[in-house]
Amino acid sequence: MAEATLIRNQAEEVKALQDTIYVIGGKWKLPIINSICNGNKRFRQIERSIPGITTRMLSRELKEMEMNKLIKRTVYPDSPVLVEYESTPYCKTFGNIILAMIDWGKEHKKYIQEEN
Amino acid sequence: MAEATLIRNQAEEVKALQDTIYVIGGKWKLPIINSICNGNKRFRQIERSIPGITTRMLSRELKEMEMNKLIKRTVYPDSPVLVEYESTPYCKTFGNIILAMIDWGKEHKKYIQEEN
DNA sequence: GTAATCAGTATCACAGAGTATACCAACTAC
DNA sequence: GTAGTTGGTATACTCTGTGATACTGATTAC
């Protein structure tokens, strides 16, 4: 009985984990979310804040994330046209994951440096 | 000055985040780590605990993770041969990330269900 | 004798994630 | 006039992560 619930919970948890991986999978989504949550609003600003990303990848991911209500895109049609990206409350629910991953990355770096 | 340090920290943090994504990227590493940390030791047992994974993928990932010291593989050469996988302390450092992702997945499911 | 389990390996094939590079039109700065 | 910024799009390409399927040899079970 205790084992049965343990097994069921495990099954549920793997699925939850896999769902999350599905949503934020890939190389760029989390860095983009992180950048926007840190207050970067403009396209080139976000682009510059993420090492290695290309305009094409950023453009694609932003479009997808807008469709999925992760971010809000606003166009100010003055001249020159101004575009702003903002995070939605939904986007902010990734905060804990991002923080945990930043932490791990920092610890990992220390660990690597101590090894040498 | 305050802004300069803010920017520098942001740059460091994106890199930490990207490092982490590099290490645990892909569809399978975190579910495998999770499964082994949950006490699954045998190949088929781990395989069954992760919906959708193929023997090929599991085999490849386990090999890579063994090389990277994330897991320990022990062979007991009695007949029939017995193989056991165990998590290393290093492997357990992903705990917080995995927990945060399981949480998110569960919340996300609730959210989706409430929508309909 | 047939099926199942164990721990995998071998092949083949493909979609799509990601890269590289150039380009656009409008505007600013020197 | 030349270079740089803005917010992207277009095209072409690579590559590798992933999937599908079959198979192995040893052992156990019916």
Side-chain angles (χ1 to χ4, degrees), chain A residues 29-42:
Chain A
K29 285 201 187 59
L30 285 182
I32 293 171
I33 291 172
N34 182 242
S35 174
I36 295 180
C37 285
N38 271 335
N40 296 310
K41 293 177 185 301
R42 316 286 299 276

Side-chain angles (χ1 to χ4, degrees), chain A residues 51-113:
Chain A
I53 200 169
T54 58
T55 59
R56 182 176 188 263
M57 273 299 113
L58 181 55
S59 170
R60 283 172 62 131
E61 299 280 12
L62 284 175
K63 239 179 243 168
E64 202 188 316
M65 290 165 65
E66 197 200 348
M67 278 177 30
N68 296 335
K69 311 273 183 191
L70 285 174
I71 54 173
K72 204 181 130 210
R73 192 182 111 116
T74 316
V75 184
Y76 300 96
D78 314 296
S79 88
V81 176
L82 187 82
V83 181
E84 275 191 8
Y85 295 92
E86 280 166 285
S87 56
T88 63
Y90 184 46
C91 181
K92 287 172 187 132
T93 61
F94 295 100
N96 285 338
I97 296 175
I98 292 175
L99 288 181
M101 291 180 73
I102 290 175
D103 272 2
W104 191 92
K106 285 181 180 171
E107 287 303 315
H108 178 69
K109 194 177 170 187
K110 272 194 217 162
Y111 177 72
I112 296 293
Q113 284 173 343

Side-chain angles (χ1 to χ4, degrees), chain B residues 31-98:
Chain B
I32 293 171
I33 291 173
N34 182 241
S35 174
I36 295 179
C37 285
N38 271 336
N40 296 310
K41 293 176 183 304
R42 316 286 299 276
F43 190 89
R44 296 295 180 197
Q45 197 181 16
I46 299 167
E47 189 180 15
R48 278 189 306 257
S49 76
I50 302 171
I53 199 169
T54 58
T55 59
R56 179 176 189 262
M57 272 301 113
L58 181 55
S59 170
R60 283 172 63 129
E61 300 280 17
L62 284 173
K63 237 178 243 167
E64 202 189 316
M65 289 163 66
E66 197 199 348
M67 277 174 34
N68 296 336
K69 311 273 184 191
L70 285 175
I71 54 174
K72 204 180 130 211
R73 192 182 110 115
T74 316
V75 183
Y76 300 96
D78 315 294
S79 86
V81 175
L82 187 82
V83 181
E84 274 191 6
Y85 295 92
E86 281 166 285
S87 57
T88 63
Y90 183 45
C91 181
K92 287 173 187 131
T93 61
F94 295 100
N96 285 339
I97 296 175
I98 292 176

Side-chain angles (χ1 to χ4, degrees), chain A residues 40-54:
Chain A
N40 296 310
K41 293 177 185 301
R42 316 286 299 276
F43 190 90
R44 296 294 180 197
Q45 197 181 14
I46 299 168
E47 189 180 15
R48 278 188 306 255
S49 76
I50 302 171
I53 200 169
T54 58

